[in-house]
Amino acid sequence: MSERNHNTLVSVRVISTNYDCSIEAVLNANLDFDKMTKMVDFGFDWRDPDRERPYQRPNPPWFRYYKLHGSLNWLRCDFCEHVYLNNEWEIFGLVMEEKTADYNSCHCGHGKLGLLLVTPSYMRDVREPNLTEIWRHALEALRTSDEWVIAGYSLPADDLLIRSMFIRAYAGRTKG
């Protein structure tokens, strides 16, 4: 999906159900950290594991990347609900560590961080606030995009929520 803003800059939007970090690897190879924080919208405010401060969604972003089912490079604090995003590598293995340490704890002092993944299932009730925010932004991206391109997704029967999002986005489009 794409849209043009007032300055004719094309804003790219990608909505994904994949956990992998292949897109992030490309972003990391082509954008330094500061540019990435100013140009890429992941659909929620996030923290970097090595920095104390949170990063807010850029406005306007050049690239919107909404991962509906979470990611292998995201960890979440169960106490304050902050999400840590590591753009350089997958950090999911940190939840397997036996001991709580600085590298697998939140800046709020709570440890250990946990995974933020939604696994395939017929019965899904996702209430995690960061994922809910991503889904809301993904719905708006679909609703306001000029065109949709669906690649490599078969709309499996167990993904009723995504089917519903497509239907609601299509029904909510502005008729022109």
Side-chain angles (χ1 to χ4, degrees), residues 11-140:
S11 176
V12 178
R13 305 169 186 190
V14 174
I15 300 170
S16 177
T17 59
N18 291 335
Y19 308 132
D20 73 66
C21 303
S22 54
I23 300 285
E24 289 93 325
V26 172
L27 290 171
N28 192 52
N30 291 286
L31 297 174
D32 65 31
F33 185 82
D34 288 331
K35 281 186 180 175
M36 196 252 330
T37 63
K38 291 177 177 78
M39 298 175 70
V40 181
D41 173 16
F42 293 100
F44 61 97
D45 296 346
W46 55 276
R47 291 178 181 259
D48 178 78
D50 297 326
R51 297 166 179 89
E52 171 66 26
R53 66 177 225 142
Y55 292 91
Q56 295 182 339
R57 299 174 55 232
N59 185 21
W62 162 73
F63 186 61
R64 290 175 172 95
Y65 187 39
Y66 303 145
K67 296 177 92 169
L68 301 176
H69 293 161
S71 182
L72 295 174
N73 66 333
W74 297 355
L75 294 179
R76 178 186 179 275
C77 177
D78 291 333
F79 184 74
C80 70
E81 298 179 342
H82 281 291
V83 173
Y84 287 83
L85 186 152
N86 188 322
N87 211 40
E88 295 181 37
W89 59 81
E90 298 171 352
I91 56 176
F92 68 93
L94 296 178
V95 302
M96 313 290 185
E97 298 286 327
E98 286 186 34
K99 295 184 180 180
T100 302
D102 286 343
Y103 61 84
N104 66 2
S105 297
C106 183
H107 287 96
C108 78
H110 184 74
K112 294 185 319 190
L113 298 171
L115 292 174
L116 183 55
L117 296 176
V118 178
T119 56
S121 169
Y122 281 101
M123 299 294 290
R124 271 192 219 152
D125 186 17
V126 179
R127 295 177 192 230
E128 200 287 324
N130 295 292
L131 288 177
T132 302
E133 186 174 357
I134 293 167
W135 278 72
R136 186 171 49 84
H137 294 301
L139 174 64
E140 184 66 6

